[in-house]
């Protein structure tokens, strides 16, 4: 069976510090991978998606970047965090090439102070 | 621009009451999904509706897709405290790129 792992669950970082959130998927190959941000338990905003290794599409201009160094690994990064980067970050995947439901990770609650 | 408008944003009811959550858009979607999310967790898919006018039932939950595939509703009958959570609708306009509504926070009090 497929599983998605996202870590850490909670992170408190000072303004101006770097960020690295990691997400890995097991039990499938060539998944589509996504990073979403959710503010205060509201709707999800798509930040990045990837259909393959090294292929990243950005949905909104921002202080964050994403990378996919391996087929089932998706990383969200920032060189210098801003207060506005605080939020609940969710990684998700779908089977490659198929329009099916999103499988979400358990999320990372990021607080930038 | 928010393509999917969900209403109400907050709903607090007593156990046993019925409720309806709406998801509206001016855009046509090829499919629409409903998710439920608990605090500190990722959303979990409840249902996908694909055909205009489609109605799907999941125990006490009834989901309907509008005839024009621009809107959807979620109706819960005899709500229970276990139904408490954030309900999100999401429309599919491009493969894999779901557009999410702002969510409806439901609280069912015993």
């Amino acid at each position: 069976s497929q599983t998605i792992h996202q870590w850490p669950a909670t992170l408190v970082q000072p303004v101006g510090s770097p960020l690295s959130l990691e997400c890995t998927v097991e039990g499938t190959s060539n998944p589509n991978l996504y990073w979403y941000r959710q503010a205060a338990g509201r709707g999800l905003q798509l930040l990045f998606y990837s259909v393959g290794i090294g292929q990243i599409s950005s949905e909104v201009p921002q202080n964050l970047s994403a990378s996919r160094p391996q087929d089932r690994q998706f990383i969200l990064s920032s060189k210098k965090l801003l207060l506005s980067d605080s939020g609940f970050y969710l990684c998700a995947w779908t089977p490659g090439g198929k329009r099916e439901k999103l499988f979400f990770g358990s999320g990372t609650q990021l607080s930038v102070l | 621009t928010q393509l999917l408008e969900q209403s109400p944003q907050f709903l607090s009811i007593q156990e046993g009451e019925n409720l309806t959550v709406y998801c509206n858009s001016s855009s046509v979607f090829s499919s629409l999904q409903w998710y439920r999310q608990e605090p500190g967790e990722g959303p979990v898919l409840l249902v996908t509706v694909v055909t205009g006018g489609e109605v799907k039932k999941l125990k006490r939950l009834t989901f309907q897709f509008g005839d024009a595939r621009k809107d959807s509703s979620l109706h819960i009958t005899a709500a229970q405290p276990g139904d408490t959570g954030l309900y999100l609708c999401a429309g599919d306009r491009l493969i894999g790129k779901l557009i999410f509504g702002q969510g409806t926070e439901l609280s069912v009090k015993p």
Side-chain angles (χ1 to χ4, degrees):
Chain A
S1 62
Q2 302 90 356
T3 56
I4 178 168
H5 301 280
Q6 188 181 340
W7 68 93
T10 305
L11 190 60
V12 180
Q13 292 284 100
V15 170
S17 64
L19 173 74
S20 181
L21 302 181
E22 189 164 342
C23 171
T24 60
V25 180
E26 297 179 356
T28 187
S29 58
N30 195 32
N32 295 330
L33 296 171
Y34 308 84
W35 279 110
Y36 284 87
R37 178 167 59 201
Q38 186 176 35
R42 305 309 296 166
L44 278 66
Q45 180 187 36
L46 180 61
L47 302 176
F48 301 96
Y49 72 96
S50 171
V51 298
I53 296 175
Q55 299 179 59
I56 309 293
S57 295
S58 175
E59 288 297 298
V60 293
Q62 57 199 307
N63 184 43
L64 302 168
S65 62
S67 61
R68 185 170 177 174
Q70 300 180 42
D71 181 45
R72 291 169 290 176
Q73 183 184 29
F74 206 21
I75 298 173
L76 183 69
S77 304
S78 174
K79 292 182 179 179
K80 289 184 178 181
L81 284 169
L82 305 173
L83 288 174
S84 57
D85 292 324
S86 293
F88 191 52
Y89 289 84
L90 288 156
C91 180
W93 73 275
T94 60
K98 296 183 180 180
R99 182 185 294 144
E100 294 190 9
K101 67 177 182 178
L102 283 166
F103 297 89
F104 284 92
S106 55
T108 296
Q109 184 63 54
L110 172 65
S111 298
V112 183
L113 306 177
Chain B
T1 301
Q2 183 62 38
L3 296 180
L4 271 175
E5 297 289 340
Q6 261 187 262
S7 62
Q9 293 186 38
F10 301 93
L11 193 55
S12 181
I13 61 172
Q14 292 297 127
E15 182 176 2
E17 293 183 6
N18 302 331
L19 67 113
T20 302
V21 177
Y22 300 93
C23 182
N24 297 298
S25 176
S26 58
S27 302
V28 176
F29 294 97
S30 57
S31 69
L32 198 138
Q33 301 177 357
W34 285 93
Y35 290 80
R36 179 171 170 270
Q37 183 181 20
E38 297 194 17
E41 297 293 330
V44 176
L45 181 71
L46 296 174
V47 76
T48 301
V49 285
V50 179
T51 306
E54 181 177 6
V55 177
K56 282 190 174 180
K57 291 192 175 182
L58 186 65
K59 297 184 179 178
R60 293 177 293 100
L61 278 62
T62 301
F63 304 85
Q64 185 164 7
F65 202 13
D67 291 341
R69 289 185 289 126
K70 293 182 179 181
D71 54 86
S72 181
S73 65
L74 157 61
H75 182 78
I76 301 179
T77 304
Q80 298 177 3
D83 295 327
T84 294
L86 179 68
Y87 290 82
L88 295 156
C89 64
D92 180 10
R93 298 186 67 196
L94 294 172
I95 291 177
K97 293 177 65 175
L98 291 178
I99 305 297
F100 280 84
Q102 287 299 97
T104 295
E105 281 194 50
L106 172 65
S107 174
V108 182
K109 302 185 186 305

